[in-house]
Amino acid sequence: MTSSELVNAFWEQVWNAHDPEAIDRFVVEDFVITNGGRDIVGRDAFKAWVAAFLAELPDLRIHVEETFENADGSRVTSRWRISGTNYGYLHSAAIGEPIGFTGTAVWEVRDGSLVRNWVERSTPAVLTT
C-alpha cells in the first residue's frame, strides 16, 4: 500500500465511517496532530478528539479533492472538503443547519503508519451550504 493509499483509507475508515476506534489500524501510539495551533498527543487523545468532533457534526462527510505524496512516501498532503450538519461545531450553537468548509492535511508516514499530522482548515469561513 502506498502512503497515499494509507491516508485515503484513513479518511474512509475513520472519518467517513465515523469510527474513531479504526484509528488503531493507522497511527502510532505516540501520534501527534496539530490542529488550529494545538497539539493533540497520543493515539487515545486523538481518538477522543475525533469522537468529540463527530458529535458536533454527526453526519460529517469528508470529500477528498486531491492527495499526493513526496518521492519517498514520507509525506502525504490532502486537500479536502467537509460537509455536515452543525450540532455544536467549534462549540457554536447546535443549530442543526448544514455547513461546509475546506482544509489541507500534511501527514508524516513511517513504516506504513501515520506518525504526525498538521491540519489547516477554513474554520473562520465556515459556509452554510
Side-chain angles (χ1 to χ4, degrees):
M1 175 181 294
T2 68
S3 295
S4 291
E5 290 169 336
L6 175 68
V7 167
N8 286 333
F10 173 86
W11 293 130
E12 286 302 317
Q13 294 178 35
V14 173
W15 287 107
N16 284 339
H18 296 202
D19 185 6
E21 293 303 314
I23 287 169
D24 291 338
R25 295 192 297 267
F26 295 96
V27 309
V28 296
E29 185 66 36
D30 59 348
F31 178 80
V32 178
I33 180 173
T34 301
N35 185 358
R38 179 177 150 237
D39 287 344
I40 295 106
V41 180
R43 185 188 298 155
D44 289 338
F46 182 46
K47 288 171 24 178
W49 181 81
V50 167
F53 198 101
L54 289 169
E56 295 173 348
L57 292 168
D59 60 347
L60 175 143
R61 181 83 183 147
I62 190 160
H63 312 272
V64 178
E65 305 290 342
E66 178 178 33
T67 299
F68 50 93
E69 65 185 82
N70 67 351
D72 68 5
S74 64
R75 292 286 189 277
V76 174
T77 301
S78 294
R79 288 186 317 106
W80 45 262
R81 175 176 48 86
I82 284 180
S83 60
T85 306
N86 183 356
Y87 285 98
Y89 176 67
L90 291 179
H91 312 295
S92 65
I95 58 176
E97 294 289 329
I99 64 170
F101 53 93
T102 60
T104 58
V106 177
W107 299 87
E108 179 183 350
V109 181
R110 186 180 328 122
D111 300 325
S113 293
L114 303 173
V115 177
R116 187 125 166 76
N117 184 216
W118 297 267
V119 176
E120 297 293 333
R121 54 188 155 142
S122 64
T123 303
V126 170
L127 307 173
T128 56
T129 55

